[in-house]
Amino acid sequence: MTCVKMIHSLYEDGCEGSPSNPVRFKGQDYMQLKKSLLSQANKFEDETFPANSDSLGKLEDLTPEQLKEVEWLRPHDLNPDPSFIEDGTSRLDFKQGDVGNCWFLSSIGALTLHNGLVAQVVPHDQSFKNDYTGIFHFRFWRYGKWVDVVIDDLLPTRNSEPVSVSSRSQKEFWAPLLEKAYAKICGSYKDMIAGNPPEALKDFGGGVHMNYKLCKDKSDLWDVMYRAIESKTMMGCGTFTGDKGKEIYKTFGLVDGHAFAVTAVKQLEIDSDSIKLVRVWNPWGEKEWNGEWSDKSGVWNTVCDQDRDECLKQRNDGEFWMSMKDFCTYFEELDICCESPNFISGDEGEWNCSLKEGRWEKDTSAGGSDSQSGEFWTNPQYRLTVREGEEECEGAKNVLLSLLQKPDEEYRSKLKYHSIGFTIYRVPEEAPRGRLPQSLLQDEEPLKVSEFSESRELIEFHSLEPGDYLIIPCTYEPNQTGSFIITIYSKVEAEIE
């Protein structure tokens, strides 16, 4: 395992927001609630996320008449012998329901490949047998802190079939309950409709997220993906929308505008040629690629029996292989989330991590992006000191900056992200400590001005020589209010204040 001081290690053991002491979502204490339920021999009914139409919301795939037919049932009503987890957690345990949240479910599929993270998100000491009271809990990384989310096990159904994600065995319920916990964080099941995998990947572990546009020529992408698998990352990908996406759907069996998980990469040797393959999983549990290297492709007859048997263990499960070339042609983008940036740089060194919270306030600390304006210097300022280190390599990227928006809105579907970015200056040696006035740097050219993006998170990699730097996170337009988290990963020793 590569060495990295992870985000959650910034908290002392037992400190609120750490893995051992997560923040209680809506103030609910799982252990105290369960103890009270046991003493009263009651089953939990969550008043903060009640089993009604408000918690479900208006799902696009159900008509108003069908929504009226929804009945909230406990797992014991759906199966006389339900299980929370059987034989571990797997992406093949579940399939998507009538909630358009493929972005979230594909991310669960990626999560299940990493047992350590699964155990953090899905506490395994839960059961329908011993001390069962209808209460469960799950944990998510939310804006720098781990949060514990309590739910009851009443699930939305129609005709005794789950409306949301369902168990392929019809017996195992960890995935439907995990989905319900995330729906509670989002505001409702409806609020989970539409999204991108990195949002959920980030909430499953924090860490570093990188996005790759596959249509661009990236000669090192295979190496990045291989290192990502070796580093135990989570990877998600998405297909095109519009006319190009519909053509893919018709011709090759893929789904346009849909989120998938990348679950493996493999290099095969055939007649002295190296073939690079990518394994992809559809959270629908069906609809697979039918081109070259698909389950029924004749090209599998050209590989040795061992490789063929290893790669084609199951069929009709939504998972398939395709060549790296086809993957980059028919998928639009790839997202990778990992605790350390080492999958990018390819080395095994230690990364330090610092996290700070900030806020833009209208008329006081939201000066916009124009560095020549008088208001620009009212933006929050962060002084980054990069020290000399043994592992320095001239020109190597040694600092990764993340700017993550922290919305005030409770309901996910109502979120509106600002266009955000940051400007980096080299601080003159004579500069005092504390906030710097505009006059000190007004004649200085910024060392770097980032792109601006209306996204939840903006990430950029930089090569910074030893010295002091001023980082100014900002919104593109002035006087826009919002909270943010700035995270800095540094390859050499660095301090931020």
Side-chain angles (χ1 to χ4, degrees):
M1 175 69 70
T2 54
C3 185
V4 63
K5 297 178 182 177
M6 294 172 63
I7 286 178
H8 53 64
S9 71
L10 296 175
Y11 303 95
E12 294 181 6
D13 188 36
C15 181
E16 187 179 47
S18 66
S20 62
N21 184 22
V23 176
R24 297 162 187 164
F25 188 65
K26 294 189 178 294
Q28 292 174 300
D29 187 313
Y30 169 75
M31 293 304 296
Q32 287 189 4
L33 285 169
K34 184 164 185 175
K35 183 178 179 179
S36 176
L37 292 163
L38 285 169
S39 66
Q40 300 172 21
N42 288 336
K43 290 181 182 176
F44 184 53
E45 293 188 16
D46 186 6
E47 295 180 354
T48 69
F49 196 63
N52 61 25
S53 58
D54 290 336
S55 296
L56 184 64
K58 296 180 180 179
L59 303 182
E60 297 174 349
D61 290 341
L62 297 181
T63 65
E65 291 74 20
Q66 290 172 329
L67 285 170
K68 293 178 181 178
E69 297 171 359
V70 171
E71 182 181 12
W72 295 76
L73 299 176
R74 296 188 190 271
H76 279 101
D77 300 320
L78 303 175
N79 188 300
D81 186 28
S83 295
F84 184 62
I85 295 175
E86 275 199 342
D87 301 324
T89 56
S90 167
R91 63 198 177 281
L92 306 180
D93 289 345
F94 61 92
K95 58 182 179 180
Q96 188 176 344
D98 291 324
V99 181
N101 59 354
C102 60
W103 62 276
F104 175 69
L105 298 181
S106 64
S107 300
I108 297 180
L111 171 69
T112 60
L113 297 170
H114 310 298
N115 293 333
L117 274 179
V118 173
Q120 175 64 28
V121 175
V122 185
H124 286 15
D125 58 344
Q126 307 185 81
S127 171
F128 289 101
K129 296 176 175 62
N130 300 325
D131 296 334
Y132 167 73
T133 55
I135 187 171
F136 291 84
H137 68 131
F138 298 86
R139 298 185 183 122
F140 305 102
W141 186 93
R142 299 284 287 178
Y143 308 108
K145 294 185 178 181
W146 283 95
V147 177
D148 192 74
V149 183
V150 172
I151 58 166
D152 60 36
D153 62 352
L154 287 158
L155 298 172
T157 68
R158 282 184 64 243
N159 302 318
S160 296
E161 293 289 337
V163 168
S164 57
V165 63
S166 60
S167 165
R168 293 178 71 92
S169 69
Q170 299 184 337
K171 183 178 181 179
E172 197 171 26
F173 285 91
W174 69 268
L177 294 172
L178 172 61
E179 182 190 45
K180 181 172 184 177
Y182 203 79
K184 181 176 178 177
I185 275 202
C186 292
S188 72
Y189 281 88
K190 176 189 178 297
D191 283 274
M192 294 181 74
I193 295 175
N196 295 306
E199 181 177 348
L201 296 177
K202 189 85 172 182
D203 289 348
F204 288 156
V208 179
H209 158 244
M210 297 296 290
N211 175 269
Y212 298 89
K213 301 299 182 183
L214 299 176
C215 58
K216 296 182 179 179
D217 180 25
K218 294 187 180 299
S219 58
D220 65 338
L221 183 59
W222 168 261
D223 295 329
V224 169
M225 293 178 70
Y226 185 84
R227 290 194 296 265
I229 292 290
E230 293 294 305
S231 300
K232 301 189 182 302
T233 67
M234 296 178 287
M235 289 195 283
C237 57
T239 50
F240 292 93
T241 57
D243 294 339
K244 185 170 184 177
K246 294 185 184 303
E247 184 63 28
I248 292 173
Y249 171 75
K250 291 178 182 178
T251 307
F252 294 109
L254 296 177
V255 184
D256 62 297
H258 189 51
F260 297 73
V262 174
T263 59
V265 297
K266 190 174 183 63
Q267 184 165 309
L268 301 178
E269 302 297 329
I270 305 175
D271 296 332
S272 72
D273 288 334
S274 294
I275 306 297
K276 296 172 181 176
L277 301 180
V278 180
R279 192 175 69 189
V280 182
W281 175 73
N282 183 349
W284 285 2
E286 55 184 13
K287 285 289 183 182
E288 299 183 8
W289 162 260
N290 57 29
E292 194 173 53
W293 296 105
S294 62
D295 287 357
K296 298 180 181 179
S297 172
V299 73
W300 284 108
N301 295 324
T302 64
V303 306
C304 69
D305 293 344
Q306 180 179 346
D307 286 337
R308 182 169 59 253
D309 293 343
E310 179 183 341
C311 293
L312 298 179
K313 292 180 180 179
Q314 299 192 49
R315 299 192 177 190
N316 301 321
D317 52 13
E319 192 167 59
F320 53 86
W321 290 92
M322 61 195 312
S323 70
M324 182 68 180
K325 179 181 178 181
D326 283 339
F327 176 71
C328 291
T329 299
Y330 297 112
F331 281 83
E332 182 176 18
E333 56 187 349
L334 170 73
D335 292 288
I336 303 178
C337 192
C338 186
E339 65 180 18
S340 161
N342 281 338
F343 72 89
I344 308 168
S345 58
D347 55 38
E348 296 293 320
E350 177 178 308
W351 288 84
N352 301 292
C353 180
S354 300
L355 180 152
K356 300 288 183 182
E357 296 191 39
R359 186 168 175 83
W360 300 291
E361 291 285 1
K362 183 179 180 181
D363 297 327
T364 59
S365 59
S369 60
D370 183 2
S371 61
Q372 299 304 308
S373 72
E375 294 78 25
F376 177 72
W377 298 95
T378 65
N379 283 306
Q381 297 183 9
Y382 295 88
R383 180 81 69 93
L384 174 66
T385 300
V386 178
R387 305 191 186 284
E388 300 211 12
E390 296 178 1
E391 299 183 11
E392 283 183 64
C393 181
E394 186 174 354
K397 293 183 177 180
N398 58 359
V399 173
L400 185 148
L401 300 179
S402 161
L403 183 60
L404 177 70
Q405 299 195 61
K406 184 180 179 181
D408 300 325
E409 174 60 54
E410 180 179 359
Y411 293 91
R412 179 178 173 273
S413 62
K414 296 181 180 180
L415 297 182
K416 291 184 178 180
Y417 292 120
H418 300 310
S419 179
I420 58 171
F422 46 78
T423 301
I424 303 175
Y425 288 87
R426 185 72 184 256
V427 177
E429 293 183 1
E430 66 274 14
R433 305 306 294 180
R435 283 189 63 86
L436 298 184
Q438 182 181 14
S439 59
L440 188 65
L441 292 176
Q442 62 183 358
D443 296 328
E444 297 284 335
E445 284 292 325
L447 182 67
K448 172 67 178 180
V449 178
S450 76
E451 64 176 17
F452 280 77
S453 172
E454 292 182 4
S455 58
R456 185 186 189 216
E457 183 178 25
L458 176 66
I459 291 182
E460 289 192 354
F461 230 154
H462 296 284
S463 175
L464 298 181
E465 298 176 352
D468 281 0
Y469 299 86
L470 185 67
I471 301 174
I472 301 181
C474 58
T475 59
Y476 187 76
E477 297 292 340
N479 294 320
Q480 293 185 318
T481 299
S483 297
F484 63 86
I485 291 175
I486 184 168
T487 307
I488 297 181
Y489 287 84
S490 55
K491 196 71 169 73
V492 294
E493 184 181 351
E495 297 178 1
I496 183 172
E497 60 179 281

